Amino acid sequence: MASIPNPLNNENPNKNDTNPNSTNTIPIFISTESLHAILSHQTLIDHLQSSLPAASSSLQTPIRQSYSVSQSSSLLLMPSWSSSPSLPYVGVKLVTYFPQNSTLNLPGVHASYVLFSSVNGQTLASMDGTVLTLYRTSCVSGLASKILARNDSETLVMIGAGAMAPHLIKAHLSARPSLRRVIIWNRTIEKARKLAEEMSENAGFDGVCFESNECLEEIVGLGDIVSCATNSETPVVKGERLKAGAHLDLVGSFKHSMMECDDEAIRRGRVFVDNEAALVEAGELVGAFERRVIEKGDIGGNLVELIKGEKVGRRSSEEIAVFKSVGSAIVDILAAQLVYETYIGKQ
């Protein structure tokens, strides 16, 4: 595949061959450097908000396929496709999940994303699916906090300091510019301290204080927004600690054995999901249904329904909102669309 490392370069060796309808499309490789240069959390949040409702009705998105590679490791396949003139693509993300990689100082998730033309099936582009996932996952959370969190939210508590954490912090700060304080917790406190230092130096958000804290129970109650990105199989957020009016953002779990909050958080909060798959995949919700903490009919709505105004979001300043996301191929292909079309537009 041809590699073009600089998305801002005016020269395009593939010009006239990048139209998805072309009979002579040369596949391109969009480097990680280029992807970072193209995407910002604000632009992707805006793109998802404007594109998700229409895309949700035009895209075909089979339930993701998940295979156990070992007792703790998984392979996931996430395809989607559309014949809409505004979204003429077939996309598939290949993901590996190896949680033990933290001991090797490696990310637990690796992925590649491949984009094809839905007109003629030709390969258009491939890109770093790991970075794409970090952006799209965090921006789904950012969009949810834009809709569900209080307008006067000032303190963000970030639980977890892995690869997803800085993206979630940036997405929430982009969605809620009222935020002025970010407190980071991690089981290994040194990772939280390091992330707080890096964010202070490089995040680019003036007037925001970044700090770490090793007492989780103390800081959960401070959060106007509490965002979780962990691999935990035992609750890290106790519902009794959440302050009135808090917005709880749950990102980490995607199978029944995983959970980031306890039943009390689900019981106290009004629960929303990114899509219906969360109802059958997320350990927090599956367990709560089994234990009759809530019923499926108690779910407040999904992200598309919230964007379209078909479901009411926050109803009062005292209400606790819980947003659980598990990801979907829809947001993958929309993020890949933004990257690809922006990249081509700059050539």
Side-chain angles (χ1 to χ4, degrees), residues 48-313:
L48 293 177
Q49 185 169 13
S50 62
S51 302
L52 256 178
S56 297
S57 60
S58 66
L59 279 164
Q60 300 294 318
T61 54
I63 294 176
R64 82 188 73 193
Q65 300 173 53
S66 180
Y67 303 95
S68 295
V69 176
S70 68
Q71 187 173 359
S72 60
S73 306
S74 305
L75 168 68
L76 295 88
L77 310 178
M78 302 174 67
S80 61
W81 59 89
S82 167
S83 298
S84 168
S86 63
L87 195 64
Y89 303 116
V90 175
V92 61
K93 185 167 71 174
L94 309 172
V95 184
T96 57
Y97 173 67
F98 281 64
Q100 68 274 20
N101 278 2
S102 59
T103 62
L104 305 173
N105 199 30
L106 290 172
V109 177
H110 294 272
S112 292
Y113 196 89
V114 185
L115 197 66
F116 304 86
S117 165
S118 62
V119 176
N120 54 36
Q122 292 187 96
T123 306
L124 300 175
S126 66
M127 61 193 78
D128 186 334
T130 304
V131 173
L132 193 74
T133 299
L134 293 173
Y135 274 99
R136 68 82 152 147
T137 301
S138 61
C139 288
V140 165
S141 287
L143 179 52
S145 71
K146 181 178 180 179
I147 297 170
L148 296 171
R150 286 172 48 148
N151 293 333
D152 60 353
S153 297
E154 294 185 350
T155 300
L156 167 66
V157 172
M158 183 69 238
I159 298 177
M164 183 64 70
H167 285 270
L168 282 166
I169 292 170
K170 291 177 182 179
H172 286 297
L173 289 173
S174 298
R176 282 295 172 196
S178 60
L179 289 167
R180 287 293 175 264
R181 184 185 185 192
V182 178
I183 310 172
I184 304 168
W185 177 90
N186 194 72
R187 293 188 192 278
T188 305
I189 189 59
E190 186 54 39
K191 288 185 178 180
R193 290 195 189 101
K194 183 177 180 181
L195 179 57
E197 291 172 1
E198 291 173 351
M199 297 298 294
S200 296
E201 295 171 2
N202 305 315
F205 290 92
D206 293 336
V208 178
C209 171
F210 298 91
E211 60 191 88
S212 61
N213 193 302
E214 57 188 336
C215 183
L216 179 59
E217 291 192 355
E218 173 186 312
I219 63 173
V220 164
L222 300 176
D224 297 302
I225 300 174
V226 179
S227 186
C228 302
T230 73
N231 300 322
S232 184
E233 297 194 346
T234 58
V236 289
V237 173
K238 303 296 174 62
E240 65 180 8
R241 296 284 181 176
L242 292 168
K243 68 188 293 186
H247 172 70
L248 177 60
D249 173 45
L250 303 171
V251 174
S253 75
F254 60 88
K255 55 185 180 180
H256 294 185
S257 62
M258 304 169 74
M259 62 173 59
E260 296 185 299
C261 73
D262 63 6
D263 286 347
E264 184 62 16
I266 300 298
R267 182 181 292 109
R268 288 188 67 199
R270 187 154 160 257
V271 180
F272 302 86
V273 296
D274 62 337
N275 63 81
E276 302 307 309
L279 305 181
V280 295
E281 293 181 1
E284 300 93 345
L285 299 185
V286 172
F289 297 147
E290 291 175 348
R291 292 183 289 273
R292 298 183 181 274
V293 176
I294 60 170
E295 305 290 334
K296 288 186 178 180
D298 296 322
I299 299 299
N302 62 45
L303 193 53
V304 169
E305 292 170 329
L306 290 169
I307 294 171
K308 295 170 71 174
E310 295 176 351
K311 293 293 177 73
V312 177

